[in-house]
Amino acid sequence: MALNMVFLFGTLRHRPLLEAVLGRPVSDDELTPATLPDQETVWARGQGFPLLRATPGARAEGLLLAEPTDAELARLDFYESVFCYRLAPVSVTCGAGPRAARAWFPPPGRWQPGAPFDLHEWVRLRGAINTRAAAEVMGWFGRLDAGEVAAMYPMIAARAASFVAAQAGSEPASHSGMTRADVDSRALERPYGDFFAIEEHHLKFRRFDGTKSPTVKRAVFMSPDAALVLPYDPHRDCVLLIEQFRAGPFARGDRAPWTLEPIAGRIDAGETPEEAARREAWEEAGLNLDALEVIARGYPSPGASSEFYHIFLACTDLSAAGRDGGGLDSEDEDIRGHVIAAGRLIEMADAGALNVAPLELCAHWLARHRPRLRAQA
């Protein structure tokens, strides 16, 4: 059924996000400023999006989208359904007077209202991330239902945040001087998505002799950026390692798919690497960390994965750390902590007894910086 007017009161007022959802550019004459009487736009408490709260005398600002097609309405409805929002009739006011329209609302009681919503602040904090995430969400339109995409959305948002961080980052330039501008993207396919995703990129890239390659297909394992931290007690000269079952070694055929590792975890959307490292230390080992020292930042497997590591060392008190279990039940984690002497970790690295490369890197870094850390302590 055709819809004459759609009232957009929240993040879809941000033109790039609306265009990502509709899949086309939006012109100025398609959008009309309007207000919804006796409503105000507020944050959904603890979420990155707004909702409406009944407030006598208030007016929620928004935009009227004129005459969306049935196909465009279906795209908008799919996107909003990912967040459990549903269409309902409203009467709004614009320059031409009252107008009948529809707007998307959450189920009553689904989210609790928070502080007044500021679109400009949302654009500053999350606009680029949510716009990138919307592009992936809409890539599943017609392939998955909204509930399936909703279950994936935290990871979609985390992958989007990693993309935005990479665009804004100051990683070293390539030795040859070539940049992203020297790659022509021809097509993007997503054959799989869940906690992680697979992307197939069809592209051409500039060769070192200046010519362009033929169109090639490159499959990439898509994962958000990750924060890793090695807790080190300089007074006791020991480190905390965690042990857990890992599907990667199991799938490879490893006879013992339980690995010793630094504390590690994905960086959620809106979270800094340092914040993620501290959160993971608490979740996996019950440690409250203060200052972090950077060991390394980089790609562990640039030929096949988008994952980017932020690896830290944290000097901390490990006197109470030990074998107590850790991890989140919601992620089916079963983690055991091991406190071992720093010298023993370095010996294991030298003997080739560590099979997790980031831990090997941490061990060699600690061997080099251990005297300084102990002197500072």
Side-chain angles (χ1 to χ4, degrees):
M1 180 176 64
L3 182 66
N4 291 329
M5 294 279 186
V6 172
F7 179 68
L8 308 173
F9 65 84
T11 58
L12 286 173
R13 293 157 58 197
H14 183 49
R15 186 80 64 91
L17 177 60
L18 179 60
E19 291 178 340
V21 174
L22 291 177
R24 65 167 178 84
V26 177
S27 62
D28 290 340
D29 58 10
E30 293 179 83
L31 299 172
T32 303
T35 59
L36 182 60
D38 298 322
Q39 298 280 344
E40 67 172 328
T41 310
V42 298
W43 287 100
R45 189 174 299 163
Q47 305 299 319
F49 51 83
L51 49 78
L52 292 174
R53 176 170 60 189
T55 306
R59 287 185 173 272
E61 295 183 0
L63 296 170
L64 280 176
L65 174 64
E67 303 293 340
T69 66
D70 287 350
E72 291 170 348
L73 178 59
R75 290 178 65 91
L76 286 163
D77 197 57
F78 176 79
Y79 181 75
E80 294 283 6
S81 294
V82 169
F83 306 98
C84 301
Y85 279 45
R86 298 291 183 266
L87 268 178
V90 294
S91 178
V92 301
T93 302
C94 61
R99 287 289 185 270
R102 293 183 184 180
W104 279 271
F105 293 85
R110 175 65 183 247
W111 312 111
Q112 295 302 309
F117 177 72
D118 184 330
L119 179 63
H120 297 293
E121 182 71 0
W122 174 86
V123 170
R124 184 182 72 82
L125 294 175
R126 297 189 62 96
I129 294 172
N130 284 39
T131 300
R132 175 71 183 181
E136 182 172 343
V137 167
M138 298 313 298
W140 298 111
F141 177 61
R143 300 173 59 191
L144 299 176
D145 64 42
E148 292 173 304
V149 178
M152 293 163 51
Y153 189 80
M155 291 300 290
I156 291 175
R159 289 192 288 270
S162 297
F163 182 90
V164 171
Q167 294 279 291
S170 57
E171 279 73 33
S174 64
H175 192 72
S176 64
M178 288 190 280
T179 70
R180 191 178 184 86
D182 293 296
V183 182
D184 296 335
S185 179
R186 299 304 178 92
L188 168 62
E189 300 172 1
R190 291 188 179 92
Y192 172 82
D194 200 325
F195 193 83
F196 299 112
I198 300 294
E199 289 187 354
E200 290 183 352
H201 291 263
H202 300 257
L203 51 84
K204 293 185 176 184
F205 60 89
R206 189 173 302 282
R207 296 178 182 273
F208 292 118
D209 64 5
T211 64
K212 279 292 182 74
S213 72
T215 299
V216 297
K217 181 176 75 171
R218 295 290 186 264
V220 181
F221 177 82
M222 300 298 297
S223 173
D225 291 0
L228 298 79
V229 59
L230 178 69
Y232 171 61
D233 188 330
H235 296 286
R236 295 168 180 80
D237 196 27
C238 59
V239 298
L240 174 73
L241 307 180
I242 63 168
E243 181 183 12
Q244 61 184 315
F245 168 77
R246 286 304 204 185
F250 175 79
R252 181 176 177 265
D254 201 303
R255 291 182 298 169
W258 274 260
T259 57
L260 286 176
E261 307 172 17
I263 291 168
R266 72 174 185 268
I267 302 171
D268 291 334
E271 191 176 40
T272 68
E274 291 78 7
E275 289 169 343
R278 293 187 179 96
R279 173 178 54 76
E280 290 290 343
W282 175 252
E283 291 175 358
E284 296 189 352
L287 294 176
N288 282 308
L289 302 183
D290 293 321
L292 300 172
E293 189 160 345
V294 175
I295 292 178
R297 301 183 195 264
Y299 295 97
S301 183
S305 174
S306 70
E307 194 167 31
F308 188 89
Y309 283 175
H310 301 261
I311 308 176
F312 303 98
L313 179 133
C315 289
T316 190
D317 180 3
L318 296 177
S319 60
R323 296 168 61 88
D324 292 342
L328 297 178
D329 291 340
S330 61
E331 296 182 5
D332 297 313
E333 292 178 323
D334 179 45
I335 295 172
R336 171 168 288 182
H338 299 277
V339 176
I340 67 172
R344 175 58 182 152
L345 174 65
I346 295 166
E347 289 172 358
M348 293 171 70
D350 288 339
L354 303 175
N355 63 356
V356 172
L359 180 57
E360 181 102 10
L361 174 61
C362 290
H364 290 300
W365 187 95
L366 181 59
R368 183 166 173 240
H369 292 270
R370 184 177 167 208
R372 170 180 64 83
L373 296 171
R374 299 198 73 188
Q376 290 174 346

